[in-house]
Amino acid sequence: MSWQTEALKAKTILHNSLPKQWLLPEDRLPPPDTKNVIDFPKISGLLSDRELSITDMSATALVAGMESGRLSAEEVVVAFLKRAVLGHQLLNFATEFMAETAIARARELDEYYKRTGKLVGPLHGVPISVKEHIGMKNHTCNAGYVAWVNDMVQDDALILQCLSKAGAIFHVRTNQPQSLMHLCCSNNLTGTTTNPYNRTLSPGGSSGGEGASMGFKCAPLGIGTDIGGSIRAPAAFCNAYGFRPTMRRNPCLGIKAPGSGQEAILGVVGPLAANSLEDLDLFQRVVIDSEPWDVETSLVPIPWRRVSQHKGFTVGIMWDDGVVRPHPPITKALETAKSKLQSAGIKVVDWEPYRHAHGWDIISKLYFPDSAITQKSLIAQTTEPTLPLTTWAFAYSSPDPLTIPESWALNVARDEYRDEYHALMKKIGVDIILCPAYVGVAAVLGEAQYWNYTAVWNVLDFPAVVFPVSSSGGHAEDRGGLGKGEKDEESRWKARSEVEEREWRKWWVDPGRFEGAPVGLQVVGRHFRDEETIAAAKVVEEVVCGLEGRVRL
Amino acid sequence: MSWQTEALKAKTILHNSLPKQWLLPEDRLPPPDTKNVIDFPKISGLLSDRELSITDMSATALVAGMESGRLSAEEVVVAFLKRAVLGHQLLNFATEFMAETAIARARELDEYYKRTGKLVGPLHGVPISVKEHIGMKNHTCNAGYVAWVNDMVQDDALILQCLSKAGAIFHVRTNQPQSLMHLCCSNNLTGTTTNPYNRTLSPGGSSGGEGASMGFKCAPLGIGTDIGGSIRAPAAFCNAYGFRPTMRRNPCLGIKAPGSGQEAILGVVGPLAANSLEDLDLFQRVVIDSEPWDVETSLVPIPWRRVSQHKGFTVGIMWDDGVVRPHPPITKALETAKSKLQSAGIKVVDWEPYRHAHGWDIISKLYFPDSAITQKSLIAQTTEPTLPLTTWAFAYSSPDPLTIPESWALNVARDEYRDEYHALMKKIGVDIILCPAYVGVAAVLGEAQYWNYTAVWNVLDFPAVVFPVSSSGGHAEDRGGLGKGEKDEESRWKARSEVEEREWRKWWVDPGRFEGAPVGLQVVGRHFRDEETIAAAKVVEEVVCGLEGRVRL
């Protein structure tokens, strides 16, 4: 059987699952060359004003609405389903809809509420979109590989069980790239997902379907996974929130990916949110309060601590990672943040990156210590084409598989780097680092090549939050962006390396390509201080962005 | 240079460090063929009655004595130093004495107490013996390899720093086997350490020097390491207490062993105690209260919880691991324990071992996934002879190094096994498992070959405590020991396997070989429930052994 025939099965599953009653005919959709579709829901005619309001709400606000009886779970899930169908028509972000079971579950929850006057749990009726490789009972799970298109799953992934018990409803599954190792979102099964703010741009990856889902508000919460930036890049690219927890806190049982048992660098599962940092905390609280370590014993039994927000912390601002200076919109956002934080009386210092290239050297070797044979052989099974960003990712691996002692030496280097970085933060007295989430705003489709504004925190295993600071960052007048006299194309500054030259060429060639792209920033905390990191990020966000713009019912 | 010349350096260090004033002349020592030397301190004339009493005390009692002013740190450390010198002359357990620095530190502590009326910390003045491969600043560290005889250490191992801050005094370093992978204690540097209860028997290993130190009461507390039973076998063989904590709780920075970065099965560091379970808890409390994770960031930041002792738990008794039935003294000890526990109103059920052979299969492959090349090349460097039990241990490794994906598959099997075992304990409602610590009492020197009464808990990463139930278990009348009619040598039962046959032949050939050997048992708790495991073991010990026999000042 040809790989195309196999791959078609994924499209068929998706097609059959689409709730046809909500599909808009082609001629009512914006033309394909319309880049920014973020406001289309309002003019589409598909969603009522009430549904538009609902889909602008945070999970926290939705639950409050359901608790007070002002909202029903059914109307909430229907509103998000409609928006998700629209989003899919515009962005190709879904791999499967679960409209019927989602609505049935919502009705059960409404019944329960009617009967008892209570919610079933802290996520009662909250629709959550789910990255495809997080296994769902009686559904296929392909993890972006054609070879796995027929693989059926026996049990819900543990994280889904935790969330479901708390009342969450899973209404749509979302796209991911081939190999799960692009900061972009394209595969041979579902195709390419695009960014709602500019459809020539990437929604990020590998949780790119989640990025689009959050950006277009197809769900208030989503679940992604992150081994190098795969939650945070989509959040940053799509004007959303994302959280990479410390390893071994959130349950990973039932998440499918090649290379199970690789534990030198663990991927983590974590939340994305469309509307608020509070929702990231809510998600984490629910997951960890369920004590997943009592089933998945490799997790650490540390409860989700309730920490109070305060301004008594020190922010280190990292302007540049020492390898690739960020593009102008990012630097501007950091400058704005710095001045607002200082005005608010928060202590701010500059943070010198500590050996980030060394960190990348370690993690990039640990991604594929087998020379990516595991992944390559999976691709070879069906002869599906290896996509360019897959080739790009695999190129980080050494030509020959590492020996086990060679991999041990990297583990030692990793642990030393972690201890040194932690000691440095302690010595300097920096509690959180405010830094770019990516070298620029959302990459042009297929161009996301530099991972280390996020991946360095994976090798360090520091918790990291991404939040949006501006919903439109890529303006042509930022071109060049170094200093007042250096704006024209001819006065290019001298890059420190080919890598930096490559990344800046993407900007120099035409900043207009990034029109409409949002700007997100990253707050990084110390190992295992997940709770404090989210709390501090909330303070930073409130200071930098104010509290406007988030609908709270 | 020959390996012998190199190896001699370790003996020279030891020789130079011996406090000559306390050495007894040969003719005042018991003759070499005296097996049991446990009572020799009393008749040696070296220790005063007061010193004999001091060296019978637990760490907890010693600290109380120093707090009340009845004891000085100096007299305590001198008493233990004298006993340790005597112990070394009889058992060859030490690799280096630190008499001068220990006494100097004790004087400082006494000064501090005199000046302030306070102790410096909860281990004020407690002498602790230390396994040699736990690095000590400005001392060599050979880890049992001639190749490392000259290796100098720059910093104290982190666990020593934690204990030292609390007032502990390190007065003697102790022996370990070549490769650190024998349940026995012999190497080409220091030679063979023997068991104080019968010098033809092993003190256990790999923390065999610690076993001898505890058994002979050369220190109230000792520090060992354990990757397959290396704390617990010495404790069981030598009438002492030992604790294997859950991985990533106690700090391992600065502990030297080949294969750093191997993390599929982590060795742990933990306490042995001469006199009480309470001391194990004290040790753990001090170490973890010092928050070692703030330096060694791979540790989990879980405080040492204070749990209350109660009888409301269920004990599962494991009579047999399904592979090698234990020797008669062990089974008898379990029978006695069962009946006493039941009389005390503690719920007792039989525990069926769950796939222990499978557990062994996993861990034995993960010990040397590189086919022990790392260790073998270290031995080859000096051409020191490979000792028989080293060959025995290396034989567990596969002939060819595993590939990295093969090692991943073992990690997956390990995690599944952990989750399944945990779920089974939960389902059946068993809180702790009471089981053998070894197939029999202390092995004859060189014969300790079956590890899996301890190693299975390493692959499962369950905390485990060993405590003594009888100070003399190997009596000839226990011979055979299956049933009343089966005691003579001719009526041997049919072993289930060659392994079982091999292990029982050691008993059948002559149970008299084990004369004088103590009997210890093991209490195993659930993953990360270290505190509850020690607390439950205390209850079990009090019920099974009563409270007599432990000197408390």
Side-chain angles (χ1 to χ4, degrees), chain A residues 157-435:
Chain A
L158 183 52
I159 195 159
L160 299 184
Q161 296 178 35
C162 300
L163 296 165
S164 182
K165 267 180 212 145
I169 298 177
F170 309 115
H171 62 309
V172 61
R173 300 174 71 197
T174 65
N175 202 27
Q176 64 220 340
Q178 185 189 45
S179 85
L180 295 163
M181 297 295 274
H182 312 176
L183 288 184
C184 199
C185 193
S186 190
N187 63 38
N188 293 315
L189 295 146
T190 312
T192 299
T193 303
T194 57
N195 189 312
Y197 285 86
N198 178 337
R199 292 195 288 174
T200 68
L201 300 181
S202 170
S206 65
S207 313
E210 285 305 315
S213 173
M214 295 301 105
F216 202 72
K217 300 190 194 297
C218 303
L221 273 170
I223 318 177
T225 55
D226 189 319
I227 199 169
S230 285
I231 286 173
R232 291 161 291 159
F237 287 13
C238 295
N239 201 39
Y241 299 83
F243 178 57
R244 188 211 95 90
T246 299
M247 293 168 191
R248 300 196 188 280
R249 292 205 74 177
N250 287 355
C252 291
L253 267 183
I255 298 177
K256 186 166 186 172
S260 297
Q262 184 283 98
E263 53 191 20
I265 299 292
L266 286 173
V268 296
V269 59
L272 294 94
N275 295 296
S276 87
L277 279 170
E278 206 173 13
D279 283 1
L280 301 179
D281 191 80
L282 171 64
F283 180 103
Q284 284 300 113
R285 202 163 69 229
V286 165
V287 169
I288 294 187
D289 281 1
S290 75
E291 305 192 348
W293 53 78
D294 203 32
V295 175
E296 183 173 331
T297 63
S298 55
L299 303 178
V300 293
I302 299 179
W304 189 255
R305 288 169 285 109
R306 275 60 172 171
V307 303
S308 56
Q309 277 174 245
H310 60 83
K311 292 184 171 181
F313 53 83
T314 298
V315 182
I317 297 190
M318 191 183 82
W319 301 94
D320 177 338
D321 73 349
V323 179
V324 179
R325 165 197 322 215
H327 291 175
I330 306 299
T331 301
K332 278 203 170 172
L334 285 173
E335 283 163 356
T336 306
K338 180 179 180 178
S339 111
K340 289 192 179 176
L341 287 167
Q342 286 178 322
S343 302
I346 292 173
K347 193 171 172 200
V348 179
V349 300
D350 289 339
W351 180 256
E352 281 300 314
Y354 177 69
R355 303 183 76 197
H356 284 216
H358 174 64
W360 175 249
D361 189 51
I362 296 168
I363 198 170
S364 59
K365 285 178 178 155
L366 285 173
Y367 281 141
F368 307 110
D370 62 340
S371 200
I373 286 168
T374 305
Q375 288 81 1
K376 286 174 186 169
S377 62
L378 207 52
I379 290 171
Q381 259 178 51
T382 61
T383 69
E384 65 166 308
T386 302
L387 300 180
L389 283 182
T390 305
T391 305
W392 178 260
F394 292 169
Y396 294 131
S397 65
S398 63
D400 295 313
L402 300 187
T403 65
I404 282 177
E406 283 168 346
S407 77
W408 290 343
L410 289 168
N411 292 345
V412 171
R414 177 204 64 197
D415 284 357
E416 284 174 359
Y417 185 49
R418 285 177 180 172
D419 289 353
E420 287 165 12
Y421 215 109
H422 178 82
L424 194 63
M425 283 181 78
K426 221 168 55 165
K427 186 179 151 205
I428 296 178
V430 161
D431 299 288
I432 58 164
I433 296 171
L434 179 66
C435 62

Side-chain angles (χ1 to χ4, degrees), chain A residues 260-263 294-295 297 300-302 369-370 374 402 404-405 408 411-412 414 418-419 422 426 527-528, chain B residues 260-263 294-297 300-302 369-370 374 402 404-405 408 411-412 414 418-419 422 426 527-528:
Chain A
S260 297
Q262 184 283 98
E263 53 191 20
D294 203 32
V295 175
T297 63
V300 293
I302 299 179
D370 62 340
T374 305
L402 300 187
I404 282 177
W408 290 343
N411 292 345
V412 171
R414 177 204 64 197
R418 285 177 180 172
D419 289 353
H422 178 82
K426 221 168 55 165
H527 189 52
F528 273 117
Chain B
S260 298
Q262 183 282 99
E263 53 192 17
D294 203 31
V295 175
E296 184 173 332
T297 63
V300 293
I302 299 179
D370 63 339
T374 305
L402 300 187
I404 282 176
W408 290 343
N411 291 346
V412 171
R414 179 203 63 198
R418 286 176 180 173
D419 288 354
H422 178 82
K426 221 169 53 165
H527 189 52
F528 274 118

